[in-house]
């Protein structure tokens, strides 16, 4: 029995596992596996050759900036004021010329280095005094940015040999992989959560975590082995009615878990109907059977239709005659406030008359 139920649990949850795995892989790929780059630490930009640059997570202290070639603005829809959110500059590695993109928080410092570099180039100062330390990832420029970059460096007028020096790469400051550091770590955390969730579901399905109710019932019995043998026989000999097996026990699935109850412990059962609406318009109903127990637990068994729910309730009425059927507000009060009287309902006509008006 447990083997069959484990297989069913795995089958029922395989889509969740696959979705969680796909989400994890998608998020990690979307960040270019930036967290793994961080674990290895940033490389020294000036230690890399031209063919090693793309995709690398690097750090560098920049003393010289040749020029700037592009910026990104954000306009406030209320005030219509524009703010520069990113600016791109031209820098050099040991054997290449590349771009450097910095966020608004670093633009002032980068502009100081640019001004200092201009003064040095024009002979106004004898040494460079400004610098900016950048850590980020080297990405390919998009077509629009590449056009600005080529225009500023006069790319079209360069020889093929000189063109080879100008790499179509930009060092994105504070980026870890494809995304900003904060977003990369957030995506990685969500991916890790998805992986843990998938692993937890898989382990639960394979180890019988969804059958804890059955295991607990057997452990609590005088002879767990004998009880499990009886349950195996019950499982194989009892034809399920819309997924519910009723006999000496009632066995059903509720919220993905297999629940086993002694029929004496299932004291109340009734249909539960939910009317779904979209923008106030009825769009359909879902049906279920609620089973409430002697120890005041509540289980819902999802049903594919109203007819299926009624068939299950008819089976309970036939094979579990001491279970109270149907729902009224007065029954709810009896169950919650006068539980001992509730248990006497099947045998006491006066109580039935009080509750049902019979």
């Amino acid at each position: 029995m447990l083997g069959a139920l484990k297989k069913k649990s795995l089958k029922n949850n395989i889509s969740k596992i696959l979705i969680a795995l796909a989400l994890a892989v998608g998020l990690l790929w979307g960040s270019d596996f930036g967290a793994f780059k961080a674990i290895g630490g940033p490389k020294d930009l000036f230690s890399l050759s031209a063919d090693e640059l793309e995709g690398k997570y690097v750090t560098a202290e920049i003393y010289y900036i040749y020029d700037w070639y592009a910026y990104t603005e954000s306009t406030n829809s209320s005030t219509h004021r524009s703010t520069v959110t990113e600016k791109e500059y031209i820098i050099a590695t040991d054997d290449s010329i590349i771009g450097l993109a910095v966020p608004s928080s670093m633009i002032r410092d980068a502009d100081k280095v640019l001004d200092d570099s201009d003064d040095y180039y024009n002979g106004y100062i004898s040494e460079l005094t400004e610098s900016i330390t950048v850590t980020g990832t080297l990405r390919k420029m998009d077509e629009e940015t590449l056009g600005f970059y080529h225009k500023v460096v006069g790319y079209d007028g360069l020889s093929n040999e000189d063109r080879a020096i100008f790499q179509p790469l930009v060092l994105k400051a504070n980026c870890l992989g494809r995304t900003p550091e904060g977003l990369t770590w957030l995506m990685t955390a969500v991916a890790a959560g998805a992986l843990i969730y998938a692993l937890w579901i898989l382990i639960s399905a394979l180890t019988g975590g969804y059958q804890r109710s059955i295991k607990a019932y057997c452990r609590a019995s005088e002879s767990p082995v004998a009880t499990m043998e009886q349950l195996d026989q019950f499982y194989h000999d009892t034809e399920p009615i819309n997924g519910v097996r009723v006999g000496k026990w009632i066995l059903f699935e509720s919220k993905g878990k297999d629940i086993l109850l002694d029929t004496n412990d299932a004291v109340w059962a009734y249909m539960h109907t939910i009317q779904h609406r979209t923008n106030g318009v009825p769009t359909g109903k879902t049906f279920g059977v609620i089973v409430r127990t002697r120890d005041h637990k509540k289980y819902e068994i999802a049903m594919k239709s109203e007819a299926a729910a009624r068939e299950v309730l008819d089976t309970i009425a036939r094979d579990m005659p001491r279970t109270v059927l149907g729902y009224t507000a007065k029954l709810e009060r009896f169950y919650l406030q006068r539980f001992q009287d509730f248990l006497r309902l099947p045998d006491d006509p006066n109580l039935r008359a009080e509750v049902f008006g019979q």
Side-chain angles (χ1 to χ4, degrees):
M1 177 183 70
L2 286 180
L5 292 175
K6 288 178 185 178
K7 289 180 180 178
K8 182 191 65 137
S9 295
L10 182 59
K11 181 179 178 181
N12 289 347
N13 287 285
I14 194 68
S15 61
K16 294 179 183 178
I17 295 172
L18 293 176
I19 290 171
L21 290 175
L23 175 63
V25 172
L27 288 170
L28 291 174
W29 180 86
S31 70
D32 196 25
F33 300 90
F36 296 99
K37 297 178 187 291
I39 291 172
K43 306 291 184 184
D44 179 6
L45 173 64
F46 302 108
S47 70
L48 301 175
S49 61
D51 57 357
E52 295 177 308
L53 293 175
E54 186 176 350
K56 289 295 190 299
Y57 179 54
V58 300
T59 190
E61 187 168 7
I62 308 297
Y63 288 92
Y64 199 95
I65 293 178
Y66 292 91
D67 205 343
W68 67 272
Y69 61 90
Y71 62 87
T72 302
E73 280 186 330
S74 175
T75 303
N76 187 302
S77 59
S78 299
T79 63
H80 303 291
R81 295 183 62 181
S82 296
T83 304
V84 176
T85 58
E86 185 180 67
K87 191 171 180 179
E88 301 189 34
Y89 303 84
I90 301 170
I91 63 172
T93 69
D94 277 355
D95 57 1
S96 301
I97 304 295
I98 63 172
L100 166 66
V102 301
S104 58
S105 60
M106 299 175 69
I107 290 176
R108 181 186 295 251
D109 291 336
D111 282 343
K112 286 182 180 179
V113 176
L114 176 58
D115 292 341
D116 197 51
S117 301
D118 285 342
D119 289 345
Y120 179 79
Y121 179 79
N122 291 312
Y124 301 139
I125 58 176
S126 59
E127 63 180 77
L128 299 169
T129 58
E130 299 289 343
S131 69
I132 182 173
T133 300
V134 178
T135 300
T137 303
L138 286 149
R139 310 298 312 171
K140 268 196 172 181
M141 295 180 182
D142 59 57
E143 288 298 321
E144 183 180 20
T145 302
L146 184 61
F148 295 138
Y149 172 65
H150 282 172
K151 183 176 180 180
V152 169
V153 302
Y155 188 82
D156 292 341
L158 298 175
S159 66
N160 290 336
E161 184 179 355
D162 288 340
R163 286 182 179 184
I165 299 174
F166 291 88
Q167 297 290 317
L169 300 174
V170 57
L171 171 54
K172 302 282 283 187
N174 298 341
C175 280
L176 185 52
R178 289 191 182 93
T179 50
E181 288 181 356
L183 180 58
T184 296
W185 287 117
L186 176 61
M187 293 168 71
T188 303
V190 175
L195 285 172
I196 292 170
Y197 175 71
L199 185 61
W200 176 75
I201 291 178
L202 180 61
I203 292 174
S204 294
L206 294 177
T207 60
Y210 294 100
Q211 289 77 45
R212 289 177 184 171
S213 171
I214 299 172
K215 294 179 179 180
Y217 184 90
C218 290
R219 284 196 302 269
S221 66
E222 293 182 2
S223 177
V225 174
T227 301
M228 182 56 75
E229 290 175 353
Q230 293 173 26
L231 286 171
D232 281 334
Q233 193 67 39
F234 161 75
Y235 181 83
H236 292 294
D237 291 348
T238 306
E239 185 70 23
I241 305 298
N242 299 307
V244 181
R245 285 176 167 84
V246 180
K248 180 180 179 181
W249 298 278
I250 178 170
L251 176 65
F252 56 88
E253 182 181 316
S254 178
K255 296 182 179 178
K257 298 179 181 179
D258 292 302
I259 306 298
L260 177 75
L261 300 173
D262 191 293
T263 52
N264 292 325
D265 290 331
V267 297
W268 186 16
Y270 52 89
M271 185 184 298
H272 183 223
T273 304
I274 299 177
Q275 174 70 66
H276 299 280
R277 298 176 183 274
T278 301
N279 297 325
V281 179
T283 55
K285 296 179 179 180
T286 54
F287 301 91
V289 171
I290 301 293
V291 175
R292 302 179 76 163
T293 67
R294 189 177 292 272
D295 56 357
H296 285 77
K297 290 182 180 178
K298 181 179 179 180
Y299 301 99
E300 181 168 2
I301 313 169
M303 290 288 136
K304 60 184 180 182
S305 65
E306 181 178 2
R310 293 193 182 283
E311 188 176 10
V312 169
L313 289 171
D314 289 343
T315 303
I316 291 174
R318 183 187 69 236
D319 296 338
M320 299 167 57
R322 298 197 60 77
T323 300
V324 177
L325 298 179
Y327 180 88
T328 66
K330 187 171 286 188
L331 269 175
E332 181 83 37
R333 288 196 297 273
F334 261 61
Y335 180 81
L336 296 175
Q337 301 170 11
R338 298 172 55 184
F339 186 63
Q340 292 305 314
D341 287 339
F342 185 94
L343 295 177
R344 290 167 45 212
L345 280 171
D347 305 314
D348 192 323
N350 293 326
L351 280 174
R352 286 202 302 273
E354 181 182 347
V355 174
F356 298 109
Q358 299 173 346

